[in-house]
């Protein structure tokens, strides 16, 4: 999917939700609300409004969004964008040893925080993902909740950059 910013600005709400609903895992209602802020002057403006709506959600709604993300390296059905991102970081082709190590870390993280470990994996390798989860696993729940939202914002920005050109 590739759109220009002009096309995005001219979409009906239904078209907009179809195009940008996948920006946030299983949470197209964010795109539905952002449609009302059109026209967007640039990609940063669009991202700003997406983040604004994300940050205006209740804590329970934000937690639902965080929990909609798949475990990194998991061999489960997930959104096409997540598959692509994890594949680029080498997380869909882990050796059995690396797979079990990452799944063990995911389980510990999930037990500690009640939600999956989230990392914008662009530019990461299997090793740096493992290093990140090991470093963050000792944080407080509040720190990790906020970090998860920041990572989701980064993921959204990266997806928008792939999906939309400004011209």
């Amino acid at each position: 999917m590739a759109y220009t910013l002009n096309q995005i600005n001219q979409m009906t709400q239904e078209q907009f939700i179809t195009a940008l609903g996948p920006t946030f895992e299983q949470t197209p209602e964010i795109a539905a609300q952002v449609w009302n802020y059109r026209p967007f002057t640039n990609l940063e403006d669009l991202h700003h409004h997406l983040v604004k709506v994300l940050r205006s959600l209740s804590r329970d709604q934000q937690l639902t969004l965080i929990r909609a993300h798949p475990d990194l390296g998991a061999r489960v059905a997930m959104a096409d964008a997540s598959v692509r991102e994890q594949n680029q970081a080498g997380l869909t082709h882990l050796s059995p040893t690396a797979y079990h190590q990452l799944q063990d870390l995911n389980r510990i993280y999930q037990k500690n925080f009640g939600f999956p470990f989230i990392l914008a994996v662009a530019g990461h390798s299997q090793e740096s993902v493992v290093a990140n989860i090991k470093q963050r696993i000792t944080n407080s729940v509040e720190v990790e909740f906020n970090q998860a939202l920041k990572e989701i914002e980064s993921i959204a920005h990266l997806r928008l950059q792939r999906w939309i050109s400004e011209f």
Side-chain angles (χ1 to χ4, degrees):
M1 107 176 78
Y3 303 100
T4 65
L5 191 61
N6 189 45
Q7 288 171 316
I8 293 292
N9 283 329
Q10 293 178 11
M11 288 180 174
T12 66
Q13 188 173 29
E14 183 178 330
Q15 292 168 329
F16 189 87
I17 293 167
T18 299
L20 297 182
T23 305
F24 296 101
E25 298 287 320
Q26 301 173 28
T27 315
E29 55 269 18
I30 294 175
Q33 291 181 46
V34 170
W35 181 80
N36 295 310
Y37 293 103
R38 293 170 313 119
F40 304 105
T41 56
N42 55 39
L43 196 65
E44 297 307 316
D45 185 38
L46 171 58
H47 184 254
H48 165 78
H49 287 290
L50 286 163
V51 169
K52 181 178 169 181
V53 170
L54 165 65
R55 291 296 181 159
S56 74
L57 297 175
S58 71
R59 186 171 176 97
D60 284 345
Q61 290 170 313
Q62 291 172 340
L63 182 58
T64 298
L65 169 61
I66 292 169
R67 287 180 173 157
H69 285 76
D71 283 336
L72 293 180
R75 295 178 179 155
V76 298
M78 61 183 87
D80 290 343
S82 291
V83 172
R84 182 180 187 277
E85 292 153 1
Q86 289 200 32
N87 186 47
Q88 287 179 331
L91 299 178
T92 56
H93 299 92
L94 296 168
S95 70
T97 301
Y99 173 78
H100 291 296
Q101 177 190 29
L102 188 54
Q103 292 316 301
D104 287 345
L105 289 168
N106 279 329
R107 277 190 289 282
I108 293 166
Y109 186 96
Q110 180 77 251
K111 183 179 178 203
N112 287 356
F113 301 108
F115 50 83
F117 174 72
I118 299 175
L119 178 69
V121 295
H124 282 278
S125 65
Q126 294 174 16
E127 295 78 16
S128 66
V129 170
V130 168
N132 268 272
I133 194 170
K134 283 181 176 179
Q135 182 271 318
R136 288 176 44 195
I137 214 159
T138 60
N139 287 338
S140 70
V141 172
E142 194 60 30
V143 166
E144 276 307 296
F145 187 90
N146 288 320
Q147 186 62 41
L149 292 177
K150 288 177 187 172
E151 295 294 333
I152 289 169
E153 292 169 11
S154 294
I155 292 165
H157 194 263
L158 291 166
R159 288 177 179 178
L160 292 174
Q161 288 176 325
R162 276 197 325 269
W163 298 341
I164 301 170
S165 67
E166 295 196 27
F167 307 103

